Amino acid sequence: MNVHDHIVFVIDDDVRIQEALEELLASHGIHAVVFGSAGEYIDAEKPDVASCLVLDVELPDINGLDLQRQIAEGDHPPIVFITGHGDIPSSVSAIKQGAVDFLTKPFSDGDLMTAVRAAIAQDRQQRSQRADLELLRQRYARLTPREREVMPLVVSGLLNKQAAAELGISEVTLQIHRRNVMQKMVAASLADLVRIAERLEMPVTHSRRTGGSSVE
Amino acid sequence: MTTALGSAAEILRAAKIVEGVVGNAWATDADGRFIYVTPDALTFLNLTLDDLNTPPEEGSLGWKRVIHPEDYEAAAATWRHSLRSGEPYNVEHRMLLANGAYGWGRSTGQPLHDGLGRILGWYGTVIDAGVSTSADNRPSSQTTDAPVHDAASNTPPLNLVHPHDRPAAEQAMARAFWHGIPQIVSYRRRQADGSYRWAELRAEPGYAVSVDVDPMVSKPGERWATSDTLGETVEAVRGARAVEGLFGAAFAFDPSGTFTYATPIAQTSIALTLEDLNEPLSVNSFLDGGDLGWKRSVHPDDYEDVAAALRRCLRTGEQFHHEWRVLRTSGQWVWHRFAVRPTHDTQGRITGWYGVGIDIDVYKKTEAALRERERELSQLIDMVPSHLWRLSPDGEPTFFNKRMADFLGMDAADMASPGMSRLDRLIATVHPDDAAEFGNALNRSLASGERFAMRYRLRRADGVYHWMSSRAEPLRNEEDRIVQWYGLCHDIDDQVHAEDALRESERSLRQLIETLPALIYCAAPDGKPIYRSQQLREFLGFNLEDKDEGARSRLVGTLDAIIHPDDLAVVKERYGHSLESGEPYALQHRLRRSDGEYRWVETRTAAMRNAEGAIVQWNGVCFDIEDQVRAQEELRLSQESLARASQAASLAELSASIAHEVNQPLAAVVANSHACQRWLNADPPNLERAQKTVERITRDANSAADVVNRIRALFRQSAEARTGASITGVVAEAREVLTEEALRRGARMDVAVESGLPTVRLDRVQIQQVLVNLIRNGLDAMNSLAGPRIVSIRARRSEEMVRIEIADRGRGVEFPERIFEPFFTTKGDGMGMGLAICRSIVESHGGRLWAEKNEPQGAKFIFTLPIEPDATP
């Protein structure tokens, strides 16, 4: 694990806590960036590496839980909440919203580090998945319109003959398109293409059975 | 011997003489056939001489045509009687004038005798009786009711009158004759035995009075006489005598003004004989400006004019007419009118003068009186502060009094204008908005004869319209025909404006009352409702009269209907008390709204009194305070719960806040400690970073200690808020705060405070918090207790302290000292700050707080507070 391939963001209005967490994380070899408020964090430019957000519930501008809801829409680092006086409803709400942990001050070194590491690992995984998906999307973008018509029919399991009839083209032409799709999407097999289509959340428009019965 | 022609000439001459004096005369032959009537009189009567002699029908007289039918028979009978008997003729009657109207007149006639006493003929005159006498003075009934010949027979013959009294008697009768006024005079009446007795003569108008007194009959030695030599005045004397026969007082004088004849009455009445009359009073002759004796009989103020006029007539031969005051023998000045005419000889030279003096005193006085009366009346009419007007039966204005003329800027006469009737002109002076109604009303009255009454605006001369109140009533004649309309018009402009202003102010006042956002009512002195404002009527949903039913009074009926049953008794009692005593009334009660909902209202009523202080009315106002009451109630409840909540929450919140304050530095300390440990354990140890973290640990730990110090300081700082207070009150307040809570928790508080406790200097809120906290702890301690849950609170004096004990029956305290340490708690949900703070508060007050074991069970918390040094009793 490289020092520079991950980072921890700390948001707490108490400078003492900021300093202490920064120091503690540093002693664990983790780089931390601290903020005094949610606004500062939102406005800041953040490096594109695996990260974790250590968030105080009581903030001067908005409540930490509200911030969690606010950023839930987009991609954001997993959150570890810290609070002066934790109450059960708040912690339940935070965990439900996807927080990694909810720590009550004062917390132990172990608890914090466990949570932070888990969060970073989670983020790293999420980031890798997002990267894969992005690659697939880029490949899909290179398909011609006809190839984009062919791909859902193929992954739906239609025979070449059926797919060609569906599109009103010859089977030979369809086979050419199919081969291009397989090449462009870097699919090793039809099964691989089906998995790729799922990742892309491509809708399955035809089933072989219904398609078959209509032809027969 | 006198021929018929001669006798006719004789009669004619007599008539002419009369005509010369009176203005009209007539003459008939012995049979009553007219031989002369003054031409003007004929014209006046629209008759010819022949008409008078031509009977309109068999057996009647020619002049029946001109005599009022009611008067004719009497007049004719009298005339026939005179012709037969030779007695003078004298009758009053109405004559038909040329203009078609009847006028009252008096005809008198006198026979002319020849030397043998035979009647040669008659001469006489008609006097318009209605002209110069007022209706009141005119003797109408006597003459018509009592035939003249009958009346004449009652007149005492003059030969029965003592000669000395005859002139007076004659004069009285003449005056009565002329003036129509009964005259009363005393005279000596000759009795059958020849002696005389005093009697009274009442000379009634209408009596035929003969003044034909033979001068020779008069007694020698009487101071009146005829001139010895008549000279050229024979003719004049004869004229005088002719006139004298009719009027009683005649005289004659020669061209130089020297009297040659005077009727005996004239002489006696002024007590001047002919000699006296003619006695020169100066060297000059009369014509040359000298004065004669008769000057004495003329009022000094009148004499110069009289003398000058007479001298002028004597020189010019003009007829003399003059009025002056004559000195009567009695010493009175009496107005007379004198008429004198000259006589001429054949060459036209004046041979003498004859004349008559008529007593016109009554006329003069009457006239003066009338004039005065008229002046007063017209003054009255003009001075009346109103407009008076008179309309003809057709509505033509015929008279405005001065005020009205001044107001309109024109008189009734000015109303005449071309192309417009006077009535229309009158209507045109009325305000255009009122003119039509005015015209209609007036025309309706004119047509029906009904009284006219109206208010309208009348234009003043300057164009300003004034409100008038006008009335008019018709005057009807005997035939019930309307003769004219008399109207009165009163300027009521100020009144109308005042009324308008009053009405306006009344209206705005009423509107004010009606629109005021309050329920307003008025009641009679006995409380009977007599007025309710719009808002109140709408609120109640019924009117004043709606509760007038059965045996109950309106007041009772209303109260029963509108007052909440729970409030009815007190309302009746208090209202009744006010009605009886006159004291104002103010009460809050529930009032029934029209929808049946009872609303809280505040009612205030006060008496309105008159100048004597008697109550004339009760005026009241009623505010709907439902919302207010409700809001107040809600406020009170929320305040109470807030008080309870704040009492309950303050320490908990304080605890939470303190926890946060302490947690922050603690969290930093913990984190830094771990970091420090890691730096030290690193290989090689990073001492520099470890050093840095240790510094931070020290700093943050101190920071946490500061928090605790600040909390202590927090309570010390409020020492200024302390005041001397009785602990009794503070205990009571704390108890009140917790009463409800204790009840809810099935516990009770047993309070025993020693009486006469000295005051303590304390912060009321803080000590209350201590008490509440301790009592609540006690309640908490007994939550699971089965037996009676009692918190007993005792306060008593202990040396220089007040000692307060709060004891419960719970499980007791396991660690009597540790429980006061911050964050120490035996409760599941406690923060462990309450007792720490309580102790801090008590100690800051200079007292102590500790816990003991309560007997037989439970815990007892005791705190003391020092007594204020100067408050020691």
Side-chain angles (χ1 to χ4, degrees):
Chain A
M1 200 150 85
N2 187 298
V3 168
H4 295 292
D5 70 356
H6 59 275
I7 191 166
V8 171
F9 302 112
V10 175
I11 310 179
D12 195 309
D13 60 326
D14 193 326
V15 180
R16 295 171 305 199
I17 301 290
Q18 290 174 11
E19 287 173 357
L21 292 185
E22 194 178 11
E23 193 65 32
L24 181 59
L25 289 166
S27 72
H28 282 279
I30 298 172
H31 178 56
V33 179
V34 299
F35 303 98
S37 69
E40 279 177 36
Y41 167 74
I42 290 166
D43 294 341
E45 203 161 309
K46 296 167 277 272
D48 186 17
V49 292
S51 55
C52 161
L53 179 57
V54 176
L55 181 56
D56 188 14
V57 174
E58 296 86 25
L59 289 174
D61 44 5
I62 64 168
N63 184 286
L65 295 170
D66 291 337
L67 177 64
Q68 183 190 20
R69 273 188 286 277
Q70 216 172 19
I71 60 179
E73 302 294 315
D75 300 333
H76 68 86
I79 299 171
V80 174
F81 276 104
I82 53 174
T83 179
H85 38 90
D87 57 304
I88 295 166
S90 297
S91 55
V92 169
S93 163
I95 300 299
K96 270 190 168 178
Q97 296 280 330
V100 175
D101 209 344
F102 196 90
L103 303 174
T104 303
K105 296 177 198 170
F107 38 80
S108 72
D109 173 36
D111 290 346
L112 179 68
M113 289 319 294
T114 305
V116 166
R117 289 210 172 89
I120 288 170
Q122 189 183 324
D123 190 42
R124 189 168 282 134
Q125 192 188 347
Q126 279 173 358
R127 298 180 72 85
S128 146
Q129 283 173 357
R130 278 203 298 275
D132 289 352
L133 185 61
E134 187 53 36
L135 186 62
L136 293 178
R137 282 187 183 138
Q138 284 169 7
R139 288 173 184 163
Y140 181 73
R142 290 203 298 270
L143 298 184
T144 65
R146 179 57 95 185
E147 287 161 2
R148 284 182 199 174
E149 284 176 337
V150 169
M151 187 173 162
L153 300 176
V154 172
V155 299
S156 296
L158 261 60
L159 298 175
N160 286 344
K161 186 173 62 178
Q162 291 170 319
E166 184 74 22
L167 293 174
I169 54 175
S170 70
E171 201 177 334
V172 177
T173 311
L174 183 97
Q175 278 176 344
I176 293 167
H177 286 312
R178 180 178 170 162
R179 193 168 55 246
N180 286 345
V181 169
M182 295 289 282
Q183 278 179 355
K184 283 183 181 175
M185 294 309 291
V186 200
S189 62
L190 179 60
D192 199 15
L193 188 65
V194 170
R195 190 187 53 82
I196 289 168
E198 268 175 17
R199 293 283 308 276
L200 286 172
E201 293 170 359
M202 186 174 291
V204 179
T205 54
H206 293 74
S207 81
R208 186 169 170 184
R209 197 153 32 139
T210 54
S213 63
S214 69
V215 172
E216 279 161 6
Chain B
M1 283 293 286
T2 314
T3 62
L5 188 66
S7 66
E10 191 79 5
I11 296 161
L12 203 57
R13 190 165 58 190
K16 291 269 187 176
I17 289 167
V18 171
E19 181 184 291
V21 176
V22 181
N24 75 76
W26 52 265
T28 70
D29 60 18
D31 302 325
R33 189 179 172 76
F34 282 92
I35 54 175
Y36 176 76
V37 173
T38 308
D40 286 351
L42 287 173
T43 311
F44 190 63
L45 296 169
N46 197 22
L47 284 177
T48 63
L49 206 54
D50 287 343
D51 291 338
L52 287 172
N53 292 326
T54 312
E57 62 217 47
E58 194 62 32
S60 64
L61 298 171
W63 40 263
K64 185 182 180 182
R65 295 183 179 86
V66 294
I67 305 299
H68 193 283
E70 288 176 14
D71 302 336
Y72 168 74
E73 290 306 329
T78 308
W79 178 230
R80 290 196 181 102
H81 174 77
S82 291
L83 289 178
R84 268 197 311 275
S85 64
E87 288 174 14
Y89 168 75
N90 180 7
V91 71
E92 195 165 276
H93 52 69
R94 278 161 287 185
M95 294 182 78
L96 184 64
L97 309 178
N99 62 5
Y102 283 99
W104 280 98
R106 179 183 292 277
S107 294
T108 56
Q110 182 85 15
L112 196 65
H113 301 86
D114 65 6
L116 303 173
R118 279 185 312 175
I119 291 173
L120 294 173
W122 295 76
Y123 68 95
T125 184
V126 176
I127 300 155
D128 181 0
V131 173
S132 55
T133 57
S134 71
D136 296 337
N137 293 338
R138 192 176 67 233
S140 54
S141 56
Q142 290 100 321
T143 47
T144 49
D145 294 351
V148 169
H149 54 273
D150 289 340
S153 62
N154 292 336
T155 309
L158 280 176
N159 57 1
L160 292 181
V161 178
H162 191 282
H164 283 193
D165 300 333
R166 274 184 204 166
E170 284 165 355
Q171 183 136 23
M173 287 186 277
R175 281 167 64 94
F177 171 92
W178 278 104
H179 307 143
I181 300 170
Q183 301 286 316
I184 296 170
V185 67
S186 296
Y187 71 101
R188 281 158 289 189
R189 186 186 174 99
R190 198 180 72 198
Q191 305 298 307
D193 59 1
S195 64
Y196 286 90
R197 247 180 66 189
W198 281 102
E200 197 166 75
L201 167 69
R202 182 178 172 85
E204 294 286 344
Y207 281 72
V209 177
S210 172
V211 292
D212 187 15
V213 177
D214 181 356
M216 303 314 291
V217 173
S218 58
K219 308 297 167 286
E222 289 291 331
R223 289 197 51 183
W224 52 269
T226 307
S227 177
D228 302 335
T229 53
L230 298 177
E232 284 188 325
T233 65
V234 173
E235 184 74 6
V237 170
R238 188 160 39 197
R241 291 205 171 206
V243 178
E244 175 183 299
L246 286 170
F247 301 107
F251 51 85
F253 47 83
D254 65 16
S256 71
T258 304
F259 282 90
T260 58
Y261 174 80
T263 309
I265 294 172
Q267 296 188 37
T268 52
S269 72
I270 61 173
L272 291 173
T273 63
L274 274 183
E275 281 172 29
D276 296 334
L277 289 171
N278 291 331
E279 180 195 347
L281 298 180
S282 54
V283 183
N284 291 339
S285 68
F286 176 69
L287 275 173
D288 293 335
D291 299 321
L292 297 178
W294 56 265
K295 180 186 178 182
R296 298 196 191 98
S297 72
V298 181
H299 195 282
D301 292 350
D302 302 333
Y303 176 74
E304 289 307 325
D305 287 348
V306 172
L310 185 57
R311 285 191 193 103
R312 191 177 68 246
C313 290
L314 289 177
R315 286 196 195 93
T316 62
E318 284 171 23
Q319 293 184 11
F320 173 84
H321 290 283
H322 220 87
E323 291 176 359
W324 68 85
R325 280 159 288 183
V326 173
L327 183 62
R328 198 59 55 83
T329 316
S330 60
Q332 286 175 317
W333 291 103
V334 180
W335 276 99
H336 277 69
R337 179 189 296 143
F338 287 86
V340 182
R341 284 175 68 100
T343 53
H344 303 88
D345 63 8
T346 47
Q347 282 84 42
R349 195 175 53 83
I350 291 172
T351 55
W353 298 77
Y354 66 97
V356 64
I358 301 166
D359 178 347
I360 56 164
D361 205 43
V362 170
Y363 293 145
K364 273 289 187 188
K365 285 178 178 160
T366 306
E367 191 187 320
L370 277 176
R371 203 177 293 123
E372 178 61 20
R373 210 169 87 182
E374 193 187 315
R375 194 187 62 78
E376 279 180 2
L377 201 62
S378 92
Q379 199 174 34
L380 178 73
I381 285 171
D382 288 339
M383 291 307 291
V384 167
S386 270
H387 298 169
L388 299 177
W389 43 282
R390 194 175 63 205
L391 302 180
S392 73
D394 306 328
E396 303 247 303
T398 54
F399 171 78
F400 295 152
N401 75 342
K402 190 169 183 305
R403 275 179 192 266
M404 186 164 185
D406 288 349
F407 180 90
L408 290 172
M410 58 179 134
D411 207 343
D414 303 330
M415 282 275 163
S417 62
M420 208 176 190
S421 76
R422 284 188 179 195
L423 176 57
D424 290 340
R425 187 89 167 79
L426 181 66
I427 293 172
T429 60
V430 175
H431 191 281
D433 293 349
D434 302 333
E437 199 194 331
F438 174 79
N440 291 341
L442 191 56
N443 279 319
R444 196 164 50 241
S445 288
L446 291 172
S448 65
E450 281 168 20
R451 205 170 85 152
F452 167 80
M454 190 186 159
R455 274 185 173 204
Y456 55 84
R457 281 156 288 181
L458 190 64
R459 191 178 58 224
R460 204 167 57 185
D462 60 6
V464 176
Y465 285 95
H466 273 226
W467 275 103
M468 295 284 166
S469 171
S470 192
R471 293 167 180 282
E473 299 214 14
L475 174 73
R476 294 170 186 275
N477 66 6
E478 288 148 11
E479 281 99 54
D480 211 30
R481 258 199 9 249
I482 292 170
V483 183
Q484 51 203 4
W485 287 83
Y486 285 97
L488 181 137
C489 191
H490 195 57
D491 190 330
I492 54 164
D493 207 49
D494 292 345
Q495 189 187 337
V496 166
H497 285 129
E499 280 173 4
D500 282 352
L502 197 66
R503 205 175 299 120
E504 175 58 28
S505 100
E506 195 178 53
R507 194 188 64 79
S508 87
L509 203 63
R510 181 162 286 267
Q511 207 172 25
L512 177 77
I513 288 172
E514 291 283 323
T515 54
L516 269 179
L519 312 173
I520 294 169
Y521 64 90
C522 301
D526 65 358
K528 180 185 180 185
I530 52 175
Y531 169 78
R532 289 194 192 115
S533 70
Q534 173 79 17
Q535 308 237 355
L536 183 54
R537 291 195 297 274
E538 282 172 7
F539 182 95
L540 295 177
F542 61 84
N543 282 326
L544 287 173
E545 309 77 26
D546 295 350
K547 295 300 162 192
D548 294 344
E549 53 191 31
R552 290 187 307 178
S553 71
R554 181 189 288 181
L555 174 60
V556 172
T558 304
L559 291 182
D560 287 351
I562 63 174
I563 309 292
H564 191 282
D566 293 352
D567 301 336
L568 190 57
V570 66
V571 167
K572 279 184 174 173
E573 191 260 317
R574 295 277 297 276
Y575 199 47
H577 173 74
S578 285
L579 290 177
E580 218 163 272
S581 63
E583 287 168 17
Y585 160 85
L587 194 64
Q588 295 192 351
H589 59 81
R590 280 154 290 181
L591 193 63
R592 189 179 192 276
R593 202 166 57 183
S594 56
D595 60 6
E597 185 187 328
Y598 282 98
R599 310 264 305 170
W600 275 100
V601 295
E602 172 158 354
T603 300
R604 288 171 180 274
T605 304
M608 182 165 79
R609 294 167 190 274
N610 63 13
E612 284 77 44
I615 293 172
V616 292
Q617 192 170 305
W618 288 89
N619 296 328
V621 64
C622 191
F623 293 103
D624 187 332
I625 54 164
E626 177 74 22
D627 297 340
Q628 201 180 326
V629 165
R630 187 161 287 169
Q632 257 176 4
E633 180 67 14
E634 279 167 8
L635 188 67
R636 195 176 60 80
L637 289 175
S638 71
Q639 268 174 345
E640 278 177 10
S641 73
L642 193 70
R644 268 197 299 276
S646 70
Q647 295 287 0
S650 56
L651 290 183
E653 279 176 5
L654 190 62
S655 304
S657 169
I658 290 166
H660 184 74
E661 285 297 305
V662 175
N663 264 352
Q664 286 295 105
L666 282 181
V669 167
V670 172
N672 277 315
S673 305
H674 288 300
C676 180
Q677 196 175 7
R678 281 197 66 82
W679 293 130
L680 291 174
N681 289 344
D683 188 20
N686 190 331
L687 291 178
E688 194 188 332
R689 298 291 289 264
Q691 177 70 25
K692 191 175 154 192
T693 52
V694 169
E695 282 167 10
R696 282 181 184 164
I697 289 166
T698 311
R699 182 198 68 186
D700 294 346
N702 281 335
S703 167
D706 282 350
V707 171
V708 177
N709 284 333
R710 283 212 304 278
I711 292 166
R712 290 174 180 278
L714 187 71
F715 297 115
R716 276 198 295 275
Q717 275 165 8
S718 64
E720 285 154 23
R722 290 174 195 167
T723 52
S726 150
I727 197 71
T728 316
V730 181
V731 170
E733 282 163 13
R735 182 195 186 180
E736 201 162 306
V737 166
L738 290 168
T739 301
E740 201 257 348
E741 187 178 336
L743 210 63
R744 181 158 46 77
R745 296 166 71 161
R748 71 182 169 86
M749 287 172 286
D750 182 10
V751 178
V753 178
E754 192 179 87
S755 63
L757 278 181
T759 58
V760 175
R761 193 164 179 81
L762 52 76
D763 182 316
R764 209 179 183 85
V765 175
Q766 287 183 1
I767 296 302
Q768 204 173 307
Q769 270 180 343
V770 170
L771 277 164
V772 168
N773 204 55
L774 294 179
I775 295 169
R776 188 176 281 134
N777 279 351
L779 292 171
D780 290 345
M782 297 187 295
N783 260 350
S784 51
L785 189 68
R789 299 171 182 176
I790 300 168
V791 175
S792 67
I793 301 139
R794 303 262 178 280
R796 62 183 170 90
R797 183 167 181 170
S798 170
E799 294 173 352
E800 292 308 303
M801 297 290 221
V802 170
R803 178 186 165 105
I804 302 109
E805 302 176 4
I806 293 96
D808 65 61
R809 300 187 178 188
R811 286 197 309 269
V813 184
E814 205 176 338
F815 312 100
E817 262 317 301
R818 282 197 62 196
I819 51 171
F820 293 106
E821 290 169 11
F823 308 113
F824 177 89
T825 182
T826 58
K827 300 178 194 170
D829 56 348
M831 189 63 78
M833 286 299 288
L835 288 174
I837 293 169
C838 285
R839 176 173 267 183
S840 160
I841 289 171
V842 170
E843 286 178 353
S844 78
H845 276 76
R848 283 205 315 117
L849 170 60
W850 70 96
E852 287 177 6
K853 194 170 157 42
N854 189 35
E855 293 304 330
Q857 61 173 29
K860 184 194 278 184
F861 286 83
I862 301 133
F863 70 92
T864 56
L865 293 170
I867 291 164
E868 228 180 338
D870 54 344
T872 312

